[in-house]
Amino acid sequence: MKKILFVLVMFGLFVACNNAKTEKDQEATKTEMQDEQQQEAVENEEAEEVESDTAKVEQEVNEEEEVKTEEVKTEEVEKEKKVEKKEEETNTPC
């Protein structure tokens, strides 16, 4: 009778330990998943910031190029006007 009682107690302890271990494993897995989700959220946020910064830089570069293009066009127009004035001065008899 003592042997049967001993076996039942040992089996009960085994089951209890297994349940505790399973619960710990589940909790650890849950914590890992939460950590991964947080890490992924941080990485996504960083990626969005980089994309935003890249877009701003591209916009600034485009604006600078537009300004330079306008300056070049203005210079060309001024040069053409000077050339026209010189031609008019040369063509006009004094």
Side-chain angles (χ1 to χ4, degrees):
M1 189 73 162
K2 287 184 178 182
K3 288 183 182 179
I4 294 174
L5 185 59
F6 177 76
V7 170
L8 288 175
V9 168
M10 293 305 282
F11 182 72
L13 288 175
F14 174 75
V15 170
C17 287
N18 251 359
N19 285 343
K21 183 181 179 198
T22 302
E23 288 177 12
K24 280 185 179 180
D25 288 347
Q26 287 175 347
E27 189 65 34
T29 302
K30 183 179 177 183
T31 304
E32 280 181 30
M33 289 176 61
Q34 288 174 342
D35 290 346
E36 288 175 4
Q37 288 174 345
Q38 287 176 343
Q39 182 65 27
E40 191 173 314
V42 167
E43 289 173 357
N44 288 341
E45 188 175 313
E46 289 173 353
E48 288 174 1
E49 288 177 7
V50 167
E51 288 176 5
S52 175
D53 291 346
T54 302
K56 286 178 184 177
V57 168
E58 287 177 355
Q59 184 178 0
E60 289 175 3
V61 167
N62 289 339
E63 289 173 357
E64 289 176 7
E65 288 178 357
E66 287 177 11
V67 168
K68 287 179 182 178
T69 303
E70 289 177 11
E71 289 175 354
V72 168
K73 287 180 181 178
T74 305
E75 289 176 4
E76 289 176 357
V77 168
E78 289 176 0
K79 286 180 182 178
E80 288 178 12
K81 285 181 181 178
K82 286 180 181 178
V83 168
E84 288 176 2
K85 281 183 181 179
K86 285 183 181 179
E87 288 177 355
E88 285 177 8
E89 289 176 1
T90 3
N91 290 340
T92 319
C94 291

